[in-house]
Every structure is written in structure tokens, then in C-alpha cells.
Amino acid sequence: MQNKQEKNNPRPAPVSAVRAGIRFTAILIIFAGCCQDLMCRTDTLPKPSMTSNRLITLEYFHPEAIYGSSCAEMTGAKPPGKDRKTIGTKFILPAVFIAYGTAARFNRLPVRGLDYDIDREISKHVNRRYAADDYFEYAMPALAYGLGFIPGVNGRHSHRDRTLVMATSLIVMKGSVEALKRATAVERPEGGRRNSFPSGHTAVAMMSAHILYKEYKGTSPWIGAGGYLVATATGILRMTNRAHWASDVVMGAGIGLLSAEIGYMMLPVWHSLFGISGAGRQFTALPAIGAGSAGISLACRF
């Protein structure tokens, strides 16, 4: 009976593909952290005082006064005496989701059987398909990007910076998802296509929900809570429609959270690269949507 079940279930991907996915994720985290450290180190320090001709020590300045608001927001810097959230804690939840998705999908452990148990119960009790998850895939990023245009709803960043965060997060998320789909070639529960791992719908929804939380938690915490609820519903519907295994959904959620965090960490890098803070320079970033294509249009005036 066990051999028959293993025969019907998709085979795990080669170990080399799993290692490639893990290395790719680790490289993204290391790259973002190095870029952040480099930007904070290369920012201009206060000039010497004209009266004393001495450089004022850094202890008299709040990090925001030295590096600017973007770097202070990125590093989570706060005035002395207050707790500061380290960068490492931002990656705990994404790392847990990614570790579980990898272990459940590519190792012969008890958690792997949970995929088959959930799919078996769904196939017994659900005999219809729900289309809401397909709408959530596009509605969530549109909401995260456009909510700030509503009068009275103030986001954490400007329209320009939100565009940069969204673009970076989408590129990282989409690149990670497509690379893993091609490398692993996991068959979907419904059969046929071998691009199940991870769930792209869940990754998009969770990335957008995390951006909603980080952008508008100062306006209302319910905005982020609603986003996480919709993202969770998207993952459940992907399993209900037998389009993904449970490990695909968990992995997609981890990639979505990680992509959003990298998008915010890279924001000061783009500021320096495009000279956004420089005098006389202007930078514009707008989404470009055409027939069968979508992208982002960038313009920089020096």
C-alpha cells in the first residue's frame, strides 16, 4: 500500500535543486544586508564646526539626523533608551516558513505526509473550484500600491519610494518563485503541470500584505491585519482548488515576506544609486502596463 502511494505521488526533486534554492535565498539575504551596511557607512558625516574646527561626535546625533529618514527607518534605529528591533528578527518568520516548505517537500519526514493527507481530505469533501484566489493575486498588489492615493490614508513612504519598494519586492519574489518552479518541477495535486512548488499566488498576496502592514500600520493596524487575512485565504483556496500542496503555500508565504523585507532594505541603495537625495536631481518611477506585458518605467534627470 505504501509503495502504491509513493508511486502515485510526485517524486521529490533532486538534492541539487533543493540546495540551489536554499543558496539562492541565502544570497539574497546576505546581499541585502551588505548593501545596507555599505550605504550606512558611506553616507556623509557632519562637517566640522566653524567655531571650534572640531568634528562633533556622533553620540550627539540621532541616526536619522546623520543618515536620513530612509536609513533610520530601514535599520530600525530609535533614540537612545528605547529598544531597537534588529534586522535579523525580520527574517525569522520567513526563514521558518521557507525551512518548513523545504523540509516538507523534499525530505521523507512525517511532515511530508501532511501534504498528502490534506489533499486527500480536500478531494473527498470539496467538488468545486473557487476563483477568488485568481482575483486576489492582482487585487492585493494593486491595493498595496494604490491605497496611499486615497485622501486621508497616509503611507510610511512617498509614491516614489513605494514604487521602488514594490518593484524591488516583485522582482525578487517573481525571480525566486520562477527559479524554484523550474528547478524542482513538482507535479501539482490535480496532476498535469509540474510547476507546483512554490505557490506564486500566495507569494504575491503575502508580499502585498506585508507591504500593507509596514506602510499603513501608523494609519490603522487593521489594514495590515486585513491584508494578512486575505493572503492566508489565498493560500487556503490554492489548496482547496488542488492547485498546490500545503508545503507549496507555506514556502510561497515565506518568499513573499522575505521579498517585501528585501524591498525595504534596498530602498536607501536606490536612493544613492539614482541620486534621489542630491540637489537638482529628479527621479520618477511609474508602472507600465500594455497588451500582454507589464513592467516599470524609470526616468532620472541630473
Side-chain angles (χ1 to χ4, degrees), residues 75-91:
T75 57
K78 295 181 180 180
K82 293 186 178 181
D83 295 332
R84 183 170 61 182
K85 185 178 181 180
T86 61
I87 297 174
T89 58
K90 299 179 181 180
F91 296 108

Side-chain angles (χ1 to χ4, degrees), residues 286-290 293-297:
L286 294 173
I289 302 176
S293 64
I296 182 171
S297 175

